[in-house]
Amino acid sequence: MNKMILFVALLTFSTSCVTHEQKSDAYGQFEADEIVVSAQGNGQLLEFNATQGDWLKINQFIGLIDTIDLHLKKKLLAQQIKTTASQLDNISAEMAVQSQLLKNNKTNQKRIANMFEKGAATQKQKDDIDGLVELNIRQISAIQSREQNIFDQIKAIEVQIEQVDEAISKCMITNPVEGTALVVYAHQGEMATLGRPLYKLADLSKLKLKAYISGAQLSQVKLNQEVEVYYDKNSTENASLKGKVVWISPTAEFTPKTIQTKEERVNLVYAIKVEVNNDGTLKIGMPGEVDFIN
């Protein structure tokens, strides 16, 4: 009797210790959408406040690249506008003189035209006054062209000032998206160059499990489908959470070498991404598994 009780107890204990042996539908690793923030200007990093592990808010001030050269260039351009604009005073004076001459010559033109009709003026007198009026009109047109050219020069310099202002604004390093700083590549006092990576960040509150499924499984998966995601809780147990399929590859590929056995790695599979909420337990690169919820 005691042996029978012991056998039943052992059987019950062994049954309770058996883990779920059924293979998951897909395997992969957790990843995040990583963003590398690069310098948009050249100069010394006068200030830089990103530290690995920091949670950075959107539009948060991170640092400043030296802008002295840009401010000096802007000052020089402003002076060029003043110098160029000063030519407008001479233009205005010339325009006033030519306008008065044109007015006087048109008066004389009318008078000589009347005299010519009555035979009191010669053809030469009429031609001379007509030529003077035409000359005045052309001179005024030339002055107007010179004036427009000056305005165009001023406009071009103003555009250059706008470009300098834009370059100055880009020397203010602000964080583009919310996320955790994963890697910091630069430090205060170093030289920044256009395009140099400064730091890398990712939003770790949501991770994506990139897994692989066979062609036969493809019909079981659709976008926004809810699935069960497993990850290692310890050496013997798995933890689970809900996930959502957010991407399905349109093309097949060979199974990555890090996934499953050598026999399975030669098969063609489709990559999928499952988004899960992360409370801080999941880390980039951790392995995970997916079960499709029927």
Side-chain angles (χ1 to χ4, degrees):
M1 183 67 179
N2 291 336
K3 290 182 178 181
M4 179 63 68
I5 294 173
L6 179 61
F7 174 75
V8 172
L10 288 173
L11 180 62
T12 302
F13 176 77
S14 62
T15 302
S16 64
C17 292
V18 172
T19 58
H20 182 62
E21 294 294 338
Q22 182 179 358
K23 288 186 177 181
S24 296
D25 292 317
Y27 301 83
Q29 291 182 322
F30 289 101
E31 59 182 35
D33 294 328
E34 300 177 356
I35 296 176
V36 176
V37 178
S38 301
Q40 299 185 63
N42 299 311
Q44 185 180 25
L45 281 170
L46 300 180
E47 188 174 352
F48 191 71
N49 302 314
T51 304
Q52 187 172 340
D54 286 351
W55 172 259
L56 305 177
K57 298 179 180 179
I58 189 170
N59 295 326
Q60 179 178 333
F61 173 76
I62 302 298
L64 173 66
I65 299 173
D66 185 13
T67 60
I68 291 178
D69 288 343
L70 292 173
H71 280 291
L72 291 175
K73 183 177 180 180
K74 181 179 178 179
K75 188 175 181 180
L76 177 61
L77 291 171
Q79 184 59 46
Q80 288 180 8
I81 287 181
K82 290 182 180 180
T83 302
T84 304
S86 66
Q87 301 175 43
L88 292 173
D89 294 336
N90 295 331
I91 293 290
S92 297
E94 290 181 41
M95 182 67 74
V97 170
Q98 291 300 325
S99 296
Q100 186 61 48
L101 286 175
L102 178 61
K103 182 178 179 181
N104 296 340
N105 287 330
K106 280 189 173 181
T107 300
N108 291 332
Q109 186 182 41
K110 290 180 180 178
R111 185 172 64 252
I112 293 174
N114 292 331
M115 293 173 62
F116 180 77
E117 290 178 0
K118 297 176 181 179
T122 65
Q123 181 67 45
K124 183 178 184 308
Q125 289 176 311
K126 184 177 181 301
D127 292 342
D128 288 345
I129 194 63
D130 290 342
L132 285 175
V133 170
E134 181 65 25
L135 178 61
N136 289 149
I137 293 174
R138 292 188 179 184
Q139 287 176 330
I140 289 174
S141 178
I143 294 172
Q144 290 173 335
S145 297
R146 286 166 51 201
E147 183 181 47
Q148 184 59 49
N149 184 53
I150 292 173
F151 284 130
D152 290 342
Q153 291 180 46
I154 292 174
K155 184 62 178 177
I157 298 173
E158 289 174 343
V159 171
Q160 293 181 58
I161 290 177
E162 290 177 4
Q163 291 176 329
V164 173
D165 285 337
E166 179 67 15
I168 290 174
S169 69
K170 289 182 177 179
C171 289
M172 300 282 291
I173 305 168
T174 55
N175 188 54
V177 295
E178 286 190 337
T180 301
L182 303 177
V183 185
V184 175
Y185 304 108
H187 300 86
Q188 183 173 326
E190 294 181 351
M191 292 298 296
T193 55
L194 186 64
R196 176 192 173 182
L198 301 176
Y199 61 96
K200 179 168 65 177
L201 79 160
D203 183 359
L204 301 182
S205 63
K206 289 186 177 181
L207 294 186
K208 293 183 178 70
L209 176 63
K210 186 175 183 181
Y212 298 86
I213 59 175
S214 65
Q217 294 174 298
L218 192 60
S219 61
Q220 305 175 39
V221 186
K222 60 183 179 180
L223 289 176
N224 298 316
Q225 177 181 344
E226 190 176 78
V227 297
E228 197 77 27
V229 175
Y230 298 97
Y231 63 93
D232 295 337
K233 183 177 181 181
N234 51 47
S235 60
T236 58
E237 296 178 291
N238 285 339
S240 67
L241 45 81
K242 299 296 182 183
K244 182 175 67 175
V245 178
V246 294
W247 177 75
I248 302 172
S249 174
T251 56
E253 59 184 289
F254 285 105
T255 312
K257 294 182 179 179
T258 57
I259 305 299
Q260 291 303 98
T261 64
K262 181 177 180 180
E263 290 75 13
E264 291 175 319
R265 290 200 297 267
V266 299
N267 295 328
L268 285 174
V269 294
Y270 292 84
I272 65 171
K273 289 184 180 181
V274 178
E275 185 178 81
V276 295
N277 292 323
N278 181 24
D279 61 0
T281 304
L282 301 176
K283 305 294 186 296
I284 296 174
M286 281 180 59
E289 305 174 17
V290 179
D291 272 353
F292 304 134
I293 300 174
N294 298 323

